[in-house]
Amino acid sequence: AVGALYVKAHPDAFRGAVFTSPMIRAQTAGLPIWAAGGIAQAACLLGLGGKMVFIHKIYDPEESFEASPATSRARFRWYSAVRQKYPRYRNNGASYRWLREAMKACGELTGKKGAEGIRIPTVFYIAEKDDIVDTGAIRTFASKIPHARLVQIPHSKHEIYRSGNRAMGIYLRSIESFLDEQCESGND
């Protein structure tokens, strides 16, 4: 969401943009966006903004491959080792303050003027089995941008960069092709 909002606010800052599993609209455990935003706002008003959202959990060094957003066991193991060694790479559940701001951003991006102002070439990568972001919202958002492309990466979950070699090959070749096109058209 942050990247899309930046491109909207600063339309001449970049000549092209690549978005991978962007949070145009988050999955909210079945809650409507307004309800998730309302819960977050209430928690912030009660002074709980820094507390973790009740359905989230702290970093677990024993995270299972099956529950992770990865589809490559090798990349899962490598990144797990990095996270165990370097605490700064450990991601935890979101705070209510983060959730409040994320819901505002999602509301802006999915609203009437969601993609308005984005006129640079863009490519959106969505994972075949993403359960963190709403891929339908990404499709709708991308469809409103001139010169936007949408690429679904097969055999992938939210963290496409932790997919198997086949999916990574499709992903990386597509990014390289997009960047080459921008350079050839003078958008380098």
Side-chain angles (χ1 to χ4, degrees), residues 3-185:
L5 289 171
Y6 190 87
V7 171
K8 277 182 57 143
H10 307 280
D12 298 319
F14 302 103
R15 294 182 181 170
V18 174
F19 295 98
T20 300
S21 302
M23 190 181 67
I24 304 302
R25 184 184 189 287
Q27 295 283 5
T28 53
L31 284 174
I33 284 280
W34 63 265
I39 291 168
Q41 179 64 23
C44 288
L45 290 172
L46 293 170
L48 303 173
K51 299 287 185 189
M52 189 179 305
V53 175
F54 71 94
I55 61 170
H56 288 194
K57 59 184 189 278
I58 62 169
Y59 164 73
D60 179 3
E62 303 300 320
E63 175 187 33
S64 73
F65 170 72
E66 292 74 21
S68 78
T71 56
S72 164
R73 284 189 187 276
R75 288 184 177 95
F76 170 79
R77 284 192 299 269
W78 176 83
Y79 192 54
S80 292
V82 168
R83 289 170 57 190
Q84 285 182 17
K85 186 173 181 179
Y86 302 103
R88 69 181 164 268
Y89 291 107
R90 297 176 186 167
N91 47 342
N92 290 299
S95 70
Y96 285 104
R97 186 175 303 108
W98 182 92
L99 179 61
R100 180 187 65 192
E101 297 307 313
M103 294 303 96
K104 284 182 193 176
C106 289
E108 182 175 337
L109 293 172
T110 58
K112 287 182 183 178
K113 296 182 178 184
E116 192 174 286
I118 300 177
R119 55 183 182 268
I120 59 174
T122 57
V123 62
F124 291 84
Y125 293 95
I126 59 174
E128 179 180 40
K129 301 172 188 168
D130 201 320
D131 62 357
I132 295 175
V133 297
D134 181 340
T135 58
I138 298 169
R139 290 176 191 281
T140 300
F141 185 78
S143 74
K144 296 176 181 176
I145 300 171
H147 313 295
R149 298 180 194 169
L150 187 69
V151 180
Q152 181 170 308
I153 304 299
H155 313 293
S156 64
K157 291 183 181 178
H158 181 69
E159 293 181 353
I160 294 172
Y161 59 90
R162 291 203 293 160
S163 296
N165 291 344
R166 183 171 160 222
M168 284 296 291
I170 293 167
Y171 176 59
L172 294 174
R173 281 190 299 276
S174 178
I175 291 174
E176 183 178 26
S177 175
F178 176 78
L179 296 175
D180 284 347
E181 289 171 21
Q182 299 319 301
C183 290
E184 289 168 10
S185 68

